[in-house]
Amino acid sequence: MTRPFVGARYSGVAIALHWLIAFFVIVNLLIGIGHDSVPMLRAWMPGHKSIGITVLVLTLLRLGWRLAHRAPPLPPELAGWERAAAQLVHGLFYAVLLLLPLSGWAMVSSPEHRRPLDWFGAFDIPFLPVSRVTANLGGDAHGVLGWLMLGLVVVHIAAALRHQFLLRDNLVARMLPRSG
């Protein structure tokens, strides 16, 4: 049986930003990784770009919130390697959550091959002032970062499931919206 959660929780704002970002990242991974092999997903590429910009903005908000509001402490019974792994994965998440949309933005800003960039058709997003070389590097990085993000998501979900169902320490409750 899962023990009731007795530790500190993340704030409601941090929880909302976490789940919004998680949803958008998963949708964008499906579109980004699948658009070459699933023709129907190609039509979603304008949305993929809009979602990427949304993830960038939400991540900046999350980082700002995180700087002003400390995360709840990890339970003292966690092993040192678990603490280190959690810090590493969270640090990598923040880096990739920033670099992935920025690399995509650089890619579509190529002065030689500009692609339309707007936010869900509501307004245009300005292109970044990048060279062809920087845009190409952005494109190369975007693919690698997308696969890295997929790996981080899998590791993060696996760790959450381990805590919830194997360790039964209810650590996941720190990031779940309150019920009732």
Side-chain angles (χ1 to χ4, degrees), residues 6-55:
V6 294
R9 297 174 48 82
Y10 281 90
S11 69
V13 171
I15 291 169
L17 288 170
H18 172 272
W19 290 107
L20 274 171
I21 292 168
F23 172 76
F24 287 133
V25 163
I26 290 169
V27 168
N28 251 13
L29 284 171
L30 292 171
I31 297 168
I33 291 171
H35 79 278
D36 283 333
S37 55
V38 180
M40 182 177 76
L41 290 178
R42 282 190 204 117
W44 285 85
M45 287 311 290
H48 175 83
K49 293 182 251 180
S50 297
I51 291 170
I53 295 296
T54 303
V55 166

Side-chain angles (χ1 to χ4, degrees), residues 123-170:
F123 56 86
D124 289 336
I125 296 169
F127 293 109
L128 295 175
V130 297
S131 67
R132 177 186 58 81
V133 171
T134 302
N136 289 341
L137 285 172
D140 293 342
H142 197 68
V144 172
L145 291 167
W147 287 106
L148 178 57
M149 177 61 82
L150 178 62
L152 289 170
V153 168
V154 168
V155 166
H156 189 64
I157 291 171
L161 292 172
R162 175 180 174 264
H163 279 282
Q164 190 66 22
F165 298 111
L166 294 178
L167 300 178
R168 297 178 181 255
D169 61 9
N170 215 8

Side-chain angles (χ1 to χ4, degrees), residues 60-131:
L60 291 171
L61 288 172
R62 175 89 193 267
L63 279 168
W65 184 262
R66 176 69 181 80
L67 290 173
H69 300 83
R70 293 183 57 124
L74 292 169
E77 60 270 9
L78 282 185
W81 71 267
E82 289 176 301
R83 290 174 182 282
Q87 288 177 340
L88 175 65
V89 169
H90 283 101
L92 285 171
F93 256 128
Y94 280 120
V96 176
L97 284 167
L98 294 171
L99 293 173
L100 189 57
L102 286 172
S103 65
W105 194 355
M107 177 176 58
V108 302
S109 296
S110 172
E112 293 179 354
H113 304 290
R114 288 223 160 121
R115 299 174 190 141
L117 185 60
D118 61 49
W119 193 73
F120 298 108
F123 56 86
D124 289 336
I125 296 169
F127 293 109
L128 295 175
V130 297
S131 67

